[in-house]
Amino acid sequence: MRVLVTGGAGFIGSHIVAELLAAGHEAVVLDIRPPGAAVPWEQADIRDAQAVARALAGADAVCHQAAMVGLGKGFADATDYVGVNDLGTAVLLSAMAAAGVRDLLLAGSMVVYGEGRYDCPRHGRVRPGPRTPEQLDAGRFEPPCPQCGEPLVPGTVAEDAPPDPRNVYATTKLTQEHLAAAWARSTGGRAIALRYHNVYGDGMPRDTPYAGVAALFRSALAAGRPPRVFEDGGQLRDFVHVEDVAAANVTALAALPAGPPGALRAFNTGSGEPHTVGEMAGALAAAHGGPEPVVTGEYRLGDVRHVVADSSRLRAEFGWRPRVGFEAGMARFANAPLGGVPAR
């Protein structure tokens, strides 16, 4: 199978290219930077329609990873996020429609859910609203039950949870899925969105406002600084190694031709094991040899408190299983090389 990987020189994209080649597939990369592997490369922005059309020549499927990632620095980034993520996806889908390429694997994200799943002992499943600055300033980080104000019990979130994007980046990732679904209905194409949870591993972008929290902690340790843990460190996340994410992509690509035409299907892609941000910082610091993390009580509006994947659909339908456990993965990442810039 010949697969065009947009963003194939980026953090996750480069691992997908390596996994494709190891599985005997042919990879083509479209990226503004050169890929690490010796594969055909179209140097272009994803919004360059002519370059996208050239890169699609002979492709059987597209693995769309190109995106502007992370929470960014504020709403001033909105035009960049929408331009790269949503206009870029529209350009790609238009070119695929014209070229007759009908199989798409989209890099989705757990950020489309907003907060994860919560249950109230009195009221059952509830959906807490965004946390207010007043709550966060007072150190009340746990979202209360919207009906009785009592503490909630977090759980795993499944693909049928209603979306509730809480920031610009999350909104663009949900829009990508809507665009892909519209493309599939219009063309009879088949699309899968892998909703990545907190991906980490070799080549992760180093310390920038757009990097994930794992990269920020790892960059601090490399500079001899303690990782700065926001809130109280009790935020639950699902940390999944980039090698497992790459394997999930190749597994899903193989399943695409057997999927239903004219539809998009979403699959959570995570370890299924909840760990706190504080645990992650502590594991990295211990494996790196210090310094110990510092819990700051700071917060970022738009961050959610808990979100952990239920990845049983991906496991049941495709037989995918994560291979890198939390302890082993963090021990490796503590001294792994970081990339230069975030994937786009």
Side-chain angles (χ1 to χ4, degrees):
M1 179 166 48
R2 182 180 174 94
V3 182
L4 170 61
V5 183
T6 69
F11 167 45
I12 297 174
S14 61
H15 285 271
I16 292 172
V17 169
E19 189 79 12
L20 282 168
L21 297 177
H25 299 297
E26 184 180 357
V28 179
V29 168
L30 185 143
D31 205 310
I32 56 177
R33 299 182 304 277
V39 296
W41 168 46
E42 184 75 37
Q43 182 178 20
D45 186 285
I46 188 63
R47 292 164 288 188
D48 185 335
Q50 292 183 336
V52 171
R54 289 194 299 268
L56 277 169
D60 301 300
V62 173
C63 186
H64 183 31
Q65 306 295 313
M68 185 172 177
V69 300
L71 192 58
K73 294 178 286 187
F75 204 84
D77 293 325
T79 53
D80 289 335
Y81 276 111
V82 172
V84 174
N85 296 356
D86 296 338
L87 176 58
T89 297
V91 169
L92 172 66
L93 294 173
S94 296
M96 290 177 66
V101 180
R102 294 293 181 260
D103 288 336
L104 171 69
L105 184 59
L106 174 67
S109 175
M110 56 84 179
V111 295
V112 301
Y113 298 120
E115 288 282 357
R117 195 191 89 194
Y118 291 92
D119 292 295
C120 172
R122 290 177 57 190
H123 297 103
R125 186 71 45 82
V126 296
R127 292 182 59 79
R131 297 175 296 169
T132 66
E134 292 75 20
Q135 288 174 304
L136 297 168
D137 286 337
R140 300 196 302 272
F141 300 121
E142 294 290 341
C145 175
Q147 299 182 50
C148 66
E150 292 299 310
L152 299 174
V153 179
T156 55
V157 61
E159 292 87 352
D160 59 358
D164 184 18
R166 298 288 178 90
N167 53 60
V168 171
Y169 169 62
T171 302
T172 65
K173 295 306 290 183
L174 183 59
T175 300
Q176 284 185 317
E177 290 193 17
H178 288 320
L179 287 167
W183 164 84
R185 288 191 295 269
S186 175
T187 65
R190 293 168 291 225
I192 286 174
L194 294 183
R195 290 176 176 167
Y196 303 157
H197 282 248
N198 289 70
V199 187
Y200 72 97
D202 300 15
M204 196 173 189
R206 63 182 69 252
D207 192 355
T208 80
Y210 303 95
V213 66
L216 296 176
F217 291 167
R218 173 68 180 78
S219 296
L221 289 166
R225 302 190 308 269
R228 295 176 60 82
V229 180
F230 280 17
E231 301 187 17
D232 60 359
Q235 309 94 304
L236 284 170
R237 294 292 187 268
D238 187 324
F239 300 102
V240 59
H241 197 274
V242 67
E243 291 179 2
D244 288 327
V245 170
N249 274 268
V250 175
T251 300
L253 280 166
L256 262 171
L264 177 140
R265 303 192 65 214
F267 294 84
N268 283 332
T269 308
S271 70
E273 298 180 7
H275 291 277
T276 68
V277 172
E279 281 183 87
M280 187 263 285
L284 283 177
H288 190 77
E292 289 295 310
V294 174
V295 178
T296 70
E298 297 172 87
Y299 64 85
R300 295 193 306 179
L301 281 177
D303 279 351
V304 298
R305 179 62 176 175
H306 304 302
V307 56
V308 177
D310 175 357
S311 298
S312 57
R313 176 185 290 180
L314 183 61
R315 299 180 188 216
E317 294 199 22
F318 297 159
W320 171 84
R321 295 288 186 279
R323 299 171 294 194
V324 183
F326 178 79
E327 290 79 10
M330 290 298 163
R332 286 172 52 184
F333 181 53
N335 296 290
L338 295 175
V341 291
R344 285 189 58 166

